[in-house]
Amino acid sequence: MKNTISGLLEINKVSTSKIDQVDFDNLNFGSVFTDHMFVCDYKNGAWQTPKIVPYGPLTLDPSARVFHYGQAVFEGMKAYKDDHGDTYLFRPDENFKRINKSSERLAIPEFPEDYFFEGLNTLLKLEDAWIKPGVGNSLYIRPFVIATQASVSASEANEYKFMIICSPAQSYYSGDVSVLVAEKFSRSASGGFGYAKAAGNYAGQFYPTKLAKDQGYQQIIWTDSNAHEYVEEAGTMNVFFRINDTLLTAPISDRILDGVTRKSLIALAEKQGIKVEVRPIKVSEIVEAVKNGSLKEIFGAGTAAVVSPVKAFGYKGEHYELEKQDNSYASHFKSALMDIQYNKAEDSFGWRYKI
């Protein structure tokens, strides 16, 4: 069934939905996908007519440059359904700006704003039944761009594919995690593209993270690439430290992702009168704080996990356990943020975007 919305978007719907085959009570994150996907190709110097088509495999030439030179960027978003059946996104303008910022760094052409939001709105309306109500349930949304030009010449491509796929989700992490502070490996370096959500940034994390898991840790706290003296991020998340009643996080840079959840937590904390310091944080400061009892909490912040508490960390062969806090900042901020996302609280910031 094909039709065009506002002369901008071509739609080809599935004849039969596969939703009845899905056990929504037992979802593995990112492994089940909805009926449709958004696709738009770039060629001859312009983005072509965007389409929504049935979810399915792609056909790409073996020499497509994404396979050889890694021109690929992505975003992570979520759609939430409130108790009235209305669907909301959380700050999608930030995701749109960031995917284009990431694209620019990898010499990928900027994607048009009207294509992005028309496609996103239409796709989510088509997949409405996949967005389940209830706190913890959501639809994870993955916009991404890949270089599709068939050529192994080592230069930027002149053909690309922009896509959006969706996956029903529950909580990303279960329970608190233990992290290992990096002493050798780096996630990114100054002058590089650590601030971009580029596929290669994540591929480079897998091996160090595997080594950390072999030692009993679930994630890594990344440190600066020069001397491994300053903390930067935690796994695939921004990281916060609570020392006494002050919240600390590293400033964004060309090494650190400008996380949407990160900036939202900072805004929430400041509005609630909680002291926030955005500054370089030495590993030695965190070690000293855990030894003298002033380090109360560590938690990661990101779209998939929202807020992920850290129960322990390892550094230079030592293992440090954190005392569980009553009325923790992590649980408080997670609840406050999710109340906004699920339309259970006033959104004084204007972050909710209704579909």
Side-chain angles (χ1 to χ4, degrees):
M1 177 182 176
K2 294 185 179 181
N3 63 297
T4 302
I5 292 185
S6 304
L8 178 66
L9 183 63
E10 184 180 296
I11 301 175
N12 182 9
K13 294 182 182 178
V14 296
S15 55
T16 305
S17 175
K18 61 189 176 189
I19 194 169
D20 292 340
Q21 303 168 24
V22 177
D23 181 358
F24 283 89
D25 294 324
N26 294 286
L27 292 170
N28 290 321
F29 181 81
S31 60
V32 174
F33 296 92
T34 61
D35 292 320
H36 301 90
M37 59 187 186
F38 174 89
V39 183
C40 189
D41 292 311
Y42 182 90
K43 58 184 178 181
N44 301 321
W47 289 102
Q48 305 300 301
T49 300
K51 301 176 181 179
I52 289 178
V53 299
Y55 181 92
L58 302 177
T59 299
L60 292 176
D61 195 284
S63 64
R65 291 197 188 184
V66 65
F67 299 137
H68 303 274
Y69 304 114
Q71 265 188 295
V73 299
F74 68 94
E75 271 300 316
M77 310 167 65
K78 282 183 176 179
Y80 310 87
K81 185 169 283 185
D82 69 8
D83 294 335
H84 307 290
D86 293 322
T87 296
Y88 295 90
L89 296 174
F90 183 74
R91 307 187 75 176
D93 55 319
E94 295 289 340
N95 298 101
F96 170 73
K97 287 186 288 187
R98 193 170 61 185
I99 198 167
N100 276 338
K101 184 179 179 182
S102 299
S103 293
E104 179 185 35
R105 183 60 180 84
L106 270 70
I108 296 170
E110 181 177 330
F111 196 67
E113 186 173 8
D114 54 347
Y115 283 23
F116 181 83
F117 281 98
E118 182 76 18
L120 195 54
N121 275 277
T122 306
L123 182 61
L124 293 180
K125 287 174 183 176
L126 273 177
E127 310 293 49
D128 180 70
W130 292 82
I131 311 169
K132 301 300 183 184
V135 174
N137 296 322
S138 62
L139 188 70
Y140 185 77
I141 304 163
R142 171 56 58 89
F144 64 101
V145 196
I146 58 172
T148 55
Q149 182 188 358
S151 171
V152 293
S153 173
S155 62
E156 73 274 16
N158 59 29
E159 293 182 2
Y160 298 90
K161 191 178 289 290
F162 188 107
M163 301 184 65
I164 303 175
I165 56 176
C166 302
S167 176
Q170 296 172 308
S171 297
Y172 188 54
Y173 290 113
S174 56
D176 299 355
V177 298
S178 296
V179 297
L180 183 66
V181 178
E183 299 174 52
K184 175 183 177 182
F185 296 101
S186 299
R187 195 192 79 86
S188 61
S190 296
F193 51 95
Y195 69 88
K197 282 188 77 71
N201 281 338
Y202 294 79
Q205 296 184 40
F206 296 154
Y207 177 67
T209 303
K210 177 183 179 299
L211 297 181
K213 288 178 178 177
D214 291 343
Q215 297 181 54
Y217 297 93
Q218 288 80 47
Q219 287 289 352
I220 291 177
I221 287 185
W222 301 102
T223 50
D224 68 285
S225 59
N226 294 326
H228 299 287
E229 186 179 2
Y230 293 91
V231 297
E232 297 200 327
E233 293 187 329
T236 58
M237 301 173 286
N238 295 114
V239 63
F240 287 83
F241 302 87
R242 176 188 171 189
I243 295 182
N244 291 320
D245 290 330
T246 299
L247 203 58
L248 276 62
T249 193
I252 59 170
S253 66
D254 58 4
R255 302 184 310 276
I256 298 176
L257 188 73
D258 185 10
V260 178
T261 306
R262 171 191 177 276
K263 66 178 68 177
S264 303
L265 294 185
I266 292 171
L268 280 172
E270 290 176 340
K271 183 174 183 182
Q272 294 172 8
I274 294 171
K275 186 178 178 182
V276 180
E277 293 182 7
V278 180
R279 61 170 175 80
I281 306 162
K282 285 190 173 184
V283 180
S284 59
E285 179 182 356
I286 300 305
V287 172
E288 177 60 29
V290 76
K291 287 180 176 179
N292 66 29
S294 61
L295 179 64
K296 306 302 182 185
E297 296 178 71
I298 304 174
F299 53 89
T303 298
V306 186
V307 173
S308 183
V310 172
K311 65 180 178 182
F313 70 93
Y315 181 62
K316 290 191 173 180
E318 296 291 330
H319 183 79
Y320 302 96
E321 295 279 344
L322 275 66
E323 241 181 78
K324 200 163 184 69
Q325 300 292 313
D326 295 328
N327 303 313
S328 71
Y329 280 9
S331 59
H332 169 72
F333 286 130
K334 184 171 185 175
S335 295
L337 197 58
M338 292 179 74
D339 281 349
I340 294 173
Q341 291 169 336
Y342 286 92
N343 195 26
K344 291 180 175 291
E346 179 189 358
D347 177 18
S348 58
F349 299 95
W351 288 339
R352 275 195 302 263
Y353 177 97
K354 190 174 182 180
I355 296 297

